[in-house]
Amino acid sequence: MLSFVFRTMRHHLHSRSLRQGAGALRGSVAKLSIAVVVLLICTLSFLFSTTLTRSNGFTVPSEIDVEQLWENADSGGWRPSSAPRSHWPPPPKESNGYLRVRCNGGLNQQRSAICNAVLAARIMNATLVLPELDANSFWHDDSGFHGIYDVEHFIHSLRYDVRIVETIPEIRKNGKTKKMKAVQMRPDRNAGVDWYTTEALATMKQHGAIYLTPFSHRLAEEIDNPEYQRLRCRVNYHALRFKPHIMKLSESIVEKLRTEGHFMAIHLRFEMDMLSFAGCFDIFSREEKAILEKYRDGNFAKKDLNPDKRRLMGKCPLTPEEVGLILRAMGFDNSTRIFLAAGELFGGELYMKPFRALFPRLENHSSVDSSEDLSTKSQGLLGSAVDYMVCLLADIFMPTYDGPSNFANNLLGHRLYYGFRTTIRPDRKGLAPAFIAQAQGRKAGFEEAVRRVMMNTSFGSPRERVRNESFYTNSWPECFCQTEARNPAHRCPPDNVLQVLHNQLESQMTGNLDPHQQQRGNRTSSMVR
């Protein structure tokens, strides 16, 4: 079937060539050179991969067992484990002061910031004030932490790690009672632990409280301390639980989707903000391109982006049709039920039509549950939270653009921790030659090439983090253990881990622990994961 998107690409490129005048010969030659290079790379990549398969006698499997994908991925003997594995004392009775943070961005960017805030409080021995969610800057939604998360569960879950209060305390000064004033500070992006233990801590001790704002990506993700990383996992996967009504609504949607068997969730990141950020405008009409360019100029740094090069680098979001072609090549048929987690799709039904023709059983949270609460807040924090839970619980999850997408990246990490639940993670760079070749009319071997690329993905099994990959996308091996591990660092803890932590906290509060008991406690907690 001819691709609507790629027909548009060819028409756009043809029209652009006709508009070039004789006075722009030098520019034309430059553009032609780029086009020739791109065409040559794509052709060689596509043919070379096919030749490799043929010369090997098709030793590389080109078929994917769809039925197996509906089950969890192979764990390799690993299981999630984020409790401490060495001595982890409870937070001291007296802290060094209060830490306030303002978490900006969308729901999942805020989620990462909350994890970082808890870790920062632990590093500084600070009392954490319940993080503020600056929802207005993104969703225009003032739900806040209390409106989205179970506050009581959050505080209770982290009692062995940090002290948390809901509001900053009042102080009495000059006969008046007023709230303690927190000194505002702005950490550098990905600030190291040393900034928190020096500059931030000194200010906190001097004034009693500090206010870090904005607090998105303000603590380095790669920290050479496994216990700190495991604390992040305890926050992300155990302490941060949505409010009961959100959990109930999400579970209801999942139950309805499962009435006819398995279902897949897809994060379809074909939205104006991400398309503008990526700079892949060549597939769109002149009017659509103008809209995207205007949005980009007003929201992102000015850069000279070449769409052809961006596509070859895997920097372009997949179109809805490309998603459908990948799934069809992998062996999924039109009976597959698909839940779409997405905002407002750019171009609307025009770009969805080819996808819907391949996979007609498409749903979203509004089509499955038409309750008034969800329909009025579908684009706010509530809708994002419900989408997150449905994608977490889906049998298969597929992100279409996991570059700077916090939603997709957090879900990939959560599903890994949740039991190696299957993920289909397209290699956009690896797939680019096949899609470009198909757009140029060379469709022979397209599905085989797509399968070959997709066979090289892990589908959710444990794997090492690659360079620049977020810890929140892949927390292996810090937050996993093996029951029969050769490496002592990977061994799972005894079953009494929570009791050990509880005893330590109780002993500190009562002050009844004698040195001999403390020594035994230390030996026991050294075995804790």
Side-chain angles (χ1 to χ4, degrees), residues 211-266:
Y211 182 34
L212 305 184
T213 176
F215 197 70
S216 171
H217 307 289
R218 301 295 162 169
L219 177 58
E221 287 194 15
E222 289 300 329
I223 297 177
D224 190 21
N225 186 327
E227 294 300 359
Y228 285 169
Q229 299 293 57
R230 282 189 273 272
L231 175 55
R232 279 172 158 156
C233 290
R234 291 198 292 280
V235 181
N236 205 5
Y237 308 134
H238 296 280
L240 281 175
R241 187 170 70 186
F242 294 123
K243 292 183 73 68
H245 75 281
I246 296 177
M247 300 294 287
K248 184 178 179 181
L249 181 57
S250 303
E251 291 166 2
S252 172
I253 291 175
V254 170
E255 287 177 3
K256 291 176 181 177
L257 289 169
R258 283 224 173 95
T259 54
E260 299 178 38
H262 299 296
F263 79 95
M264 175 192 303
I266 296 178

Side-chain angles (χ1 to χ4, degrees), residues 109-354:
Q109 185 169 312
Q110 293 173 353
R111 189 181 184 100
S112 301
I114 294 168
C115 298
N116 288 342
V118 172
L119 178 53
R122 174 76 188 197
I123 290 170
M124 293 189 291
N125 180 27
T127 298
L128 178 66
V129 182
L130 198 68
E132 303 167 20
L133 305 187
D134 183 27
N136 290 319
S137 66
F138 191 87
W139 289 117
H140 304 287
D141 182 327
D142 59 358
S143 299
F145 200 106
H146 283 86
I148 296 296
Y149 294 109
D150 186 331
V151 174
E152 184 179 350
H153 175 78
F154 179 75
I155 296 175
H156 183 74
S157 296
L158 297 171
R159 65 193 182 280
Y160 305 127
D161 305 300
V162 293
R163 296 192 183 281
I164 304 173
V165 295
E166 293 194 38
T167 59
I168 200 164
E170 294 182 338
I171 57 173
R172 189 169 182 80
K173 189 175 182 180
N174 300 327
K176 296 181 180 180
T177 301
K178 58 182 180 179
K179 281 194 174 184
M180 180 185 295
K181 185 177 181 180
V183 176
Q184 184 170 323
M185 303 183 74
R186 187 185 180 96
D188 290 337
R189 186 178 177 88
N190 297 320
V193 172
D194 57 340
W195 183 85
Y196 288 89
T197 57
T198 53
E199 188 174 341
L201 183 57
T203 305
M204 177 182 286
K205 287 182 175 180
Q206 181 181 356
H207 298 279
I210 60 174
Y211 182 34
L212 305 184
T213 176
F215 197 70
S216 171
H217 307 289
R218 301 295 162 169
L219 177 58
E221 287 194 15
E222 289 300 329
I223 297 177
D224 190 21
N225 186 327
E227 294 300 359
Y228 285 169
Q229 299 293 57
R230 282 189 273 272
L231 175 55
R232 279 172 158 156
C233 290
R234 291 198 292 280
V235 181
N236 205 5
Y237 308 134
H238 296 280
L240 281 175
R241 187 170 70 186
F242 294 123
K243 292 183 73 68
H245 75 281
I246 296 177
M247 300 294 287
K248 184 178 179 181
L249 181 57
S250 303
E251 291 166 2
S252 172
I253 291 175
V254 170
E255 287 177 3
K256 291 176 181 177
L257 289 169
R258 283 224 173 95
T259 54
E260 299 178 38
H262 299 296
F263 79 95
M264 175 192 303
I266 296 178
H267 185 219
L268 197 56
R269 202 68 168 96
F270 199 72
E271 300 153 348
M272 183 164 63
D273 62 333
M274 195 53 63
L275 291 169
S276 299
F277 173 82
C280 304
F281 303 154
D282 55 329
I283 66 172
F284 297 105
S285 67
R286 181 183 301 177
E287 292 77 13
E288 291 168 334
K289 183 178 178 180
I291 293 171
L292 293 172
E293 287 178 336
K294 182 179 179 180
Y295 186 92
R296 180 175 178 82
D297 291 342
N299 293 275
F300 303 110
K302 189 173 181 60
K303 288 184 179 180
D304 185 17
L305 302 176
N306 182 287
D308 293 329
K309 290 182 179 180
R310 299 282 291 174
R311 185 161 287 103
L312 279 174
M313 293 167 61
K315 300 295 185 181
C316 295
L318 294 173
T319 68
E321 183 179 13
E322 287 172 339
V323 174
L325 292 174
I326 292 170
L327 293 176
R328 178 58 61 87
M330 291 178 68
F332 292 95
D333 59 33
N334 60 7
S335 68
T336 305
R337 198 166 194 184
I338 297 175
F339 176 86
L340 294 179
E344 183 177 355
L345 297 182
F346 187 75
E349 187 60 26
L350 180 66
Y351 292 97
M352 279 299 297
K353 189 175 181 180

